[in-house]
Amino acid sequence: MDLVTPGIGLIFWQTITFLIVLFLLSKFAWKPIMSSLRERESSIENALSMAEKAKLEMQELKAGNEKLLAEARAERDRILKDASAASNQMIEEAKAKAADESARMVAAAREAVANEKRAALTEIKNLAGSLSVEIAEQLLKRELSDATAQKQLVNDYMKEVTLN
């Protein structure tokens, strides 16, 4: 049973050894261990605070990026609106210019048609006059071929003409 229950001497020497080890640990090891634990704790706190600062900076950068994106989108929309307005203006100007040009061409065509019509009428009048003269000449030649017909024609004209 001696093996199961320790003796008083053994307990005494274990207590003395424990106290010596406790004294040595508190004298030489406890302070460096505690200081290294404090250093570790402060480095962890610093790392956490730096991580928090980095997180805040990332949020600020993200907000800045979102703001820049919003500005870029607004600028893009403005540029597209300006380009659309310029395009519409150019189209309207081109339509107006085309309308003016077509009106000018129609007016020129009408004037050309009118000139051609006048020229054609003049030519027709001249042709009608020539034909009338030729027909009259042919008729006069045929009717005035004998002397009695000539006298009869002169008498008829004399009757028509009244002298006052």
Side-chain angles (χ1 to χ4, degrees):
M1 211 69 174
D2 283 333
L3 289 175
V4 178
T5 57
I8 213 117
L10 181 63
I11 291 176
F12 173 76
W13 286 113
Q14 281 183 342
T15 305
I16 298 273
T17 307
F18 177 73
L19 289 176
I20 292 174
V21 168
L22 184 63
F23 174 76
L24 289 175
L25 282 177
S26 67
K27 188 75 174 169
F28 298 108
W30 195 262
K31 288 181 183 178
I33 288 173
M34 289 305 288
S35 66
S36 67
L37 283 176
R38 282 189 207 109
E39 287 177 18
R40 175 128 171 102
E41 185 179 330
S42 66
S43 68
I44 289 172
E45 286 176 5
N46 287 339
L48 287 174
S49 67
M50 288 175 57
E52 186 65 30
K53 285 180 185 177
K55 183 179 177 183
L56 290 175
E57 287 178 11
M58 287 300 290
Q59 287 176 350
E60 289 175 7
L61 287 174
K62 187 176 179 182
N65 285 343
E66 288 176 3
K67 182 180 177 183
L68 285 174
L69 281 173
E71 289 174 0
R73 286 184 185 120
E75 182 70 16
R76 180 199 64 198
D77 291 342
R78 185 190 60 78
I79 289 172
L80 287 175
K81 183 180 176 184
D82 290 347
S84 176
S87 171
N88 289 339
Q89 182 182 5
M90 290 174 69
I91 288 170
E92 291 301 320
E93 287 175 0
K95 283 181 182 178
K97 187 176 179 182
D100 291 345
E101 185 67 20
S102 67
R104 187 190 61 78
M105 290 176 73
V106 166
R110 284 185 179 155
E111 187 176 331
V113 166
N115 287 340
E116 289 293 323
K117 183 179 175 183
R118 281 192 295 270
L121 286 175
T122 303
E123 188 176 334
I124 288 172
K125 285 179 184 178
N126 289 339
L127 184 60
S130 320
L131 286 174
S132 296
V133 169
E134 285 180 23
I135 291 171
E137 183 181 333
Q138 292 293 327
L139 284 173
L140 285 177
K141 279 183 185 179
R142 193 177 45 163
E143 285 188 13
L144 297 179
S145 57
D146 64 10
T148 58
Q150 288 176 6
K151 285 181 185 178
Q152 179 64 34
L153 182 63
V154 170
N155 287 333
D156 289 341
Y157 282 139
M158 290 302 275
K159 288 178 186 174
E160 288 179 13
V161 174
T162 59
L163 297 170
N164 289 334

